[in-house]
Amino acid sequence: MSTTPLTAARLGLVACGTCGLLSRPAGPGEAGFCRRCGSKLHGRHPNSLQSTWALAVAAAVCFLPANALPVMVTNAFGSSTPDTILGGVVFLFTTGSWPLALIVLVASFMIPLGKLIALAWLLISIQRRTRGGERRRMRLHRAVRAVGPWSMLDVFVATFTVALVQLDPLMSVEPGMGVLFFASVVVLTMLAAESLDPRLLWDRDPVDIKRA
Amino acid sequence: MADVVACPGCDLLQHLPPIPPKGRARCPRCGEIVATTPADPIERPLALALAAAITLVVANAMPLMTLSVVGRFAETTILGGAEVMWRQGQPITATLVAFCTAVAPTIYLVLMCTLLVAARRAPAPAWVGPLLRLAEHAKAWSLPEVMLLGILVALVKIADLATVEPGIGLFSTGALLVLLATLAVQFDPEAVWHRIAWVNPAALHHRGKGIAAVPDGDPNA
Ligand SMILES: [Zn+2]
Ligand SMILES: [Zn+2]
């Protein structure tokens, strides 16, 4: 066993991103198309680091209004009450549903924030070529991809609350602008996690890196 | 040369050992799953996909829940929820909700039923490849499990103000989740990829695309 692990890139091969079939690139700089499924071949996702950074920064920018602006506005008996995400958590907590309060707090606040921090850390570690702990960082990347969709929770809570509580003039719930920013955070972080190529975490060899 | 694959997680080349039925192989370096062998790769996923498609229709057609307060009633369906959001000035959020709860699951299940029927006879036609690729994308954005939890939280929030009763749509969504989770475990895309007739190189050249060459000693070539 050699000290440098034998990767497809070291052998000059490219694994198809869609079907996994190994191919030899058609030419230098242009890998060509998979002969089994016809997908365009890439050694690593093209511009993986730049697009992940761009999506993560855009998500971070949306994170502030997502939490500051109301996701729902309740109109009842002539008065209207705005409701932010964290306000909703406090409401659930004070009405005694603390398990649900915890779920919403984790899904809507801690997961998006944790995802942004994790993505930034992974990106920086790739750019600095940090050695060691690859398996741990790999697990973190898998976790970021797996929990991503669960942050969509509050978008659904708002949607179905708004859909049901339309009892004018008695009581009605309207969506606030916060829900749009919040949905953007979720979509942008999901796209960012998807565009980060985990193989970059393992690339050591100049040959691997050149092909990235 | 047995089956050689490159790990999707770290690019490490590895020989796949013989995997027992219902087994899976993980990459020794990064731990990513590199291969699975479901007991029955085509027929069982097909049955599950058909059952899930029927459940999806019921879940969408029937009301999710009914609300009553001082003699007034209101009910909503999955797409009804998105529609109210649209009318309340949130067209982008409404589109996203409709996509993740109804459109993406529908696309995923229609594609799965079609490609599994086509893959029953090997070799499967080449058009199964693009369908499979599209199905994987649709699956990533189909979030009925998150929607169900969201509805439950909404129910608890509203329960203070009015009486809420779960409807048939809600129970169907629960059944749909079980079917989709089982389908995800029972289906191995690799089994379908192995059956697909390869893209005709002549057709690709005709469209002006360069085609990748065959690696030396490639067992699949
Ligand atoms: Zn391919
Ligand atoms: Zn690996």
Side-chain angles (χ1 to χ4, degrees):
Chain A
M1 189 123 185
S2 62
T3 42
T4 2
L6 189 60
T7 60
R10 272 181 67 83
L11 274 194
L13 300 178
V14 175
C16 173
T18 304
C19 75
L21 187 75
L22 282 169
S23 297
R24 188 168 292 285
E30 183 61 42
F33 293 81
C34 175
R35 62 201 190 286
R36 179 160 70 179
C37 71
S39 305
K40 195 162 188 341
L41 293 173
H42 303 287
R44 299 290 178 263
H45 300 178
N47 305 317
S48 172
L49 296 181
Q50 290 95 317
S51 40
T52 312
W53 268 122
L55 290 161
V57 167
V61 169
C62 292
F63 190 69
L64 194 67
N67 280 284
L69 296 174
V71 282
M72 285 182 269
V73 181
T74 310
N75 303 303
F77 316 110
S79 72
S80 58
T81 328
D83 205 358
T84 58
I85 287 173
L86 290 175
V89 172
V90 172
F91 171 81
L92 281 170
F93 193 80
T94 51
T95 52
S97 327
W98 66 265
L100 278 182
L102 199 64
I103 290 175
V104 176
L105 180 68
V106 169
S108 313
F109 188 76
M110 289 161 75
I111 288 182
L113 191 63
K115 261 163 67 178
L116 288 173
I117 294 168
L119 281 170
W121 185 49
L122 289 173
L123 285 164
I124 290 168
S125 82
I126 290 171
Q127 282 169 335
R128 287 187 166 182
R129 313 245 163 92
T130 307
R131 278 164 185 264
E134 284 90 355
R135 272 188 90 103
R136 206 175 61 237
R137 282 183 281 142
M138 189 77 188
R139 273 202 295 274
L140 181 67
H141 182 247
R142 268 198 287 266
V144 166
R145 272 187 297 178
V147 300
W150 288 97
S151 344
M152 201 76 99
L153 182 68
D154 229 60
V155 176
F156 293 129
V157 174
T159 301
F160 291 101
T161 311
V162 167
L164 264 187
V165 188
Q166 293 296 331
L167 305 161
D168 283 321
L170 200 63
M171 179 172 53
S172 67
V173 178
E174 289 168 23
M177 278 312 281
V179 77
L180 176 61
F181 285 104
F182 189 76
S184 314
V185 172
V186 182
V187 172
L188 289 168
T189 50
M190 277 172 78
L191 292 174
E194 216 45 61
S195 76
L196 181 61
D197 192 330
R199 291 171 294 189
L200 297 175
L201 283 170
W202 300 86
D203 286 345
R204 290 288 162 262
D205 201 346
V207 179
D208 294 342
I209 292 159
K210 199 177 78 229
R211 281 173 203 279
Chain B
M1 200 159 161
D3 252 354
V4 173
V5 296
C7 171
C10 72
D11 209 29
L12 186 72
L13 285 175
Q14 45 207 289
H15 292 269
L16 285 182
I19 308 167
K22 298 181 187 175
R24 48 174 47 171
R26 281 183 187 275
C27 170
R29 182 160 72 149
C30 75
E32 193 90 345
I33 293 167
V34 286
T36 57
T37 48
D40 176 1
I42 306 290
E43 299 296 331
R44 200 177 300 175
L46 178 58
L48 285 163
L50 285 169
I54 295 163
T55 319
L56 179 68
V57 172
V58 179
N60 270 283
M62 304 307 276
L64 285 171
M65 48 201 175
T66 321
L67 170 146
S68 59
V69 57
V70 289
R72 294 194 51 181
F73 290 90
E75 61 175 27
T76 186
T77 56
I78 294 176
L79 285 175
E83 193 213 326
V84 175
M85 280 299 259
W86 183 289
R87 278 194 277 112
Q88 294 279 336
Q90 289 287 340
I92 298 172
T93 317
T95 310
L96 182 69
V97 168
F99 187 75
C100 295
T101 57
V103 180
T106 307
I107 295 175
Y108 172 61
L109 289 174
V110 168
L111 291 177
M112 286 297 283
C113 291
T114 315
L115 71 89
L116 284 167
V117 168
R120 287 175 79 184
R121 283 181 300 113
W127 51 260
V128 168
L131 292 199
L132 184 52
R133 189 165 39 163
L134 206 59
E136 307 260 300
H137 284 298
K139 186 182 165 212
W141 290 94
S142 126
L143 312 172
E145 69 280 13
V146 186
M147 179 193 78
L148 188 67
L149 187 61
I151 293 171
L152 294 179
V153 174
L155 281 178
V156 171
K157 280 188 154 180
I158 306 167
D160 268 15
L161 314 163
T163 317
V164 217
E165 280 198 14
I168 297 171
L170 197 64
F171 297 115
S172 312
T173 306
L176 178 65
L177 295 191
V178 177
L179 289 168
L180 286 175
T182 321
L183 174 60
V185 175
Q186 295 284 333
F187 177 65
D188 175 23
E190 194 54 36
V192 174
W193 285 121
H194 272 299
R195 287 166 174 243
I196 290 175
W198 287 11
V199 172
N200 178 2
L204 273 184
H205 278 305
H206 190 66
R207 274 150 54 198
K209 293 174 172 182
I211 190 147
V214 182
D216 304 327
D218 178 16
N220 302 310

